[in-house]
PDB file of all heavy atoms in Angstrom:
ATOM      1  N   GLY A1537      62.467  37.973  53.240  1.00 96.00           N
ATOM      2  CA  GLY A1537      62.542  36.880  52.271  1.00 96.00           C
ATOM      3  C   GLY A1537      63.395  35.737  52.762  1.00 96.00           C
ATOM      4  O   GLY A1537      64.337  35.301  52.077  1.00 96.00           O
ATOM      5  N   GLY A1538      63.115  35.258  53.964  1.00 97.00           N
ATOM      6  CA  GLY A1538      63.849  34.178  54.602  1.00 97.00           C
ATOM      7  C   GLY A1538      63.311  34.004  56.013  1.00 97.00           C
ATOM      8  O   GLY A1538      62.496  34.797  56.493  1.00 97.00           O
ATOM      9  N   HIS A1539      63.770  32.958  56.709  1.00 97.00           N
ATOM     10  CA  HIS A1539      63.278  32.694  58.060  1.00 97.00           C
ATOM     11  C   HIS A1539      63.908  33.651  59.070  1.00 97.00           C
ATOM     12  O   HIS A1539      65.121  33.727  59.192  1.00 97.00           O
ATOM     13  CB  HIS A1539      63.593  31.250  58.467  1.00 97.00           C
ATOM     14  CG  HIS A1539      62.850  30.222  57.668  1.00 97.00           C
ATOM     15  ND1 HIS A1539      61.476  30.180  57.601  1.00 97.00           N
ATOM     16  CD2 HIS A1539      63.298  29.188  56.901  1.00 97.00           C
ATOM     17  CE1 HIS A1539      61.100  29.167  56.844  1.00 97.00           C
ATOM     18  NE2 HIS A1539      62.190  28.561  56.390  1.00 97.00           N
ATOM     19  N   LEU A1540      63.073  34.386  59.797  1.00 97.00           N
ATOM     20  CA  LEU A1540      63.527  35.235  60.887  1.00 97.00           C
ATOM     21  C   LEU A1540      62.352  35.441  61.835  1.00 97.00           C
ATOM     22  O   LEU A1540      61.579  36.392  61.717  1.00 97.00           O
ATOM     23  CB  LEU A1540      64.045  36.583  60.370  1.00 97.00           C
ATOM     24  CG  LEU A1540      64.626  37.523  61.433  1.00 97.00           C
ATOM     25  CD1 LEU A1540      65.783  36.861  62.175  1.00 97.00           C
ATOM     26  CD2 LEU A1540      65.077  38.836  60.809  1.00 97.00           C
ATOM     27  N   LEU A1541      62.215  34.524  62.797  1.00 97.00           N
ATOM     28  CA  LEU A1541      61.072  34.564  63.712  1.00 97.00           C
ATOM     29  C   LEU A1541      61.172  35.710  64.701  1.00 97.00           C
ATOM     30  O   LEU A1541      60.155  36.278  65.088  1.00 97.00           O
ATOM     31  CB  LEU A1541      60.965  33.227  64.461  1.00 97.00           C
ATOM     32  CG  LEU A1541      59.807  33.095  65.452  1.00 97.00           C
ATOM     33  CD1 LEU A1541      58.464  33.253  64.746  1.00 97.00           C
ATOM     34  CD2 LEU A1541      59.864  31.768  66.179  1.00 97.00           C
ATOM     35  N   GLY A1542      62.393  36.064  65.124  1.00 96.00           N
ATOM     36  CA  GLY A1542      62.536  37.061  66.178  1.00 96.00           C
ATOM     37  C   GLY A1542      63.364  38.259  65.786  1.00 96.00           C
ATOM     38  O   GLY A1542      64.441  38.497  66.351  1.00 96.00           O
ATOM     39  N   ARG A1543      62.896  39.049  64.834  1.00 98.00           N
ATOM     40  CA  ARG A1543      63.613  40.286  64.501  1.00 98.00           C
ATOM     41  C   ARG A1543      63.481  41.266  65.660  1.00 98.00           C
ATOM     42  O   ARG A1543      62.379  41.589  66.122  1.00 98.00           O
ATOM     43  CB  ARG A1543      63.047  40.911  63.235  1.00 98.00           C
ATOM     44  CG  ARG A1543      63.800  42.180  62.827  1.00 98.00           C
ATOM     45  CD  ARG A1543      63.325  42.729  61.509  1.00 98.00           C
ATOM     46  NE  ARG A1543      64.190  43.812  61.057  1.00 98.00           N
ATOM     47  CZ  ARG A1543      64.083  44.395  59.877  1.00 98.00           C
ATOM     48  NH1 ARG A1543      63.155  43.980  59.021  1.00 98.00           N
ATOM     49  NH2 ARG A1543      64.896  45.371  59.526  1.00 98.00           N
ATOM     50  N   GLY A1544      64.603  41.744  66.141  1.00 98.00           N
ATOM     51  CA  GLY A1544      64.584  42.646  67.283  1.00 98.00           C
ATOM     52  C   GLY A1544      63.904  43.966  66.970  1.00 98.00           C
ATOM     53  O   GLY A1544      64.075  44.537  65.887  1.00 98.00           O
ATOM     54  N   ILE A1545      63.109  44.434  67.934  1.00 98.00           N
ATOM     55  CA  ILE A1545      62.475  45.743  67.788  1.00 98.00           C
ATOM     56  C   ILE A1545      62.525  46.478  69.119  1.00 98.00           C
ATOM     57  O   ILE A1545      62.047  45.986  70.143  1.00 98.00           O
ATOM     58  CB  ILE A1545      61.028  45.633  67.258  1.00 98.00           C
ATOM     59  CG1 ILE A1545      60.399  47.028  67.135  1.00 98.00           C
ATOM     60  CG2 ILE A1545      60.169  44.703  68.123  1.00 98.00           C
ATOM     61  CD1 ILE A1545      59.106  47.061  66.359  1.00 98.00           C
ATOM     62  N   SER A1546      63.161  47.650  69.098  1.00 98.00           N
ATOM     63  CA  SER A1546      63.158  48.555  70.246  1.00 98.00           C
ATOM     64  C   SER A1546      62.431  49.852  69.902  1.00 98.00           C
ATOM     65  O   SER A1546      62.268  50.723  70.763  1.00 98.00           O
ATOM     66  CB  SER A1546      64.582  48.855  70.706  1.00 98.00           C
ATOM     67  OG  SER A1546      65.340  49.419  69.643  1.00 98.00           O
TER      68      SER A1546
END
Side-chain angles (χ1 to χ4, degrees):
H1539 293 302
L1540 183 58
L1541 181 60
R1543 182 175 188 174
I1545 179 168
S1546 58

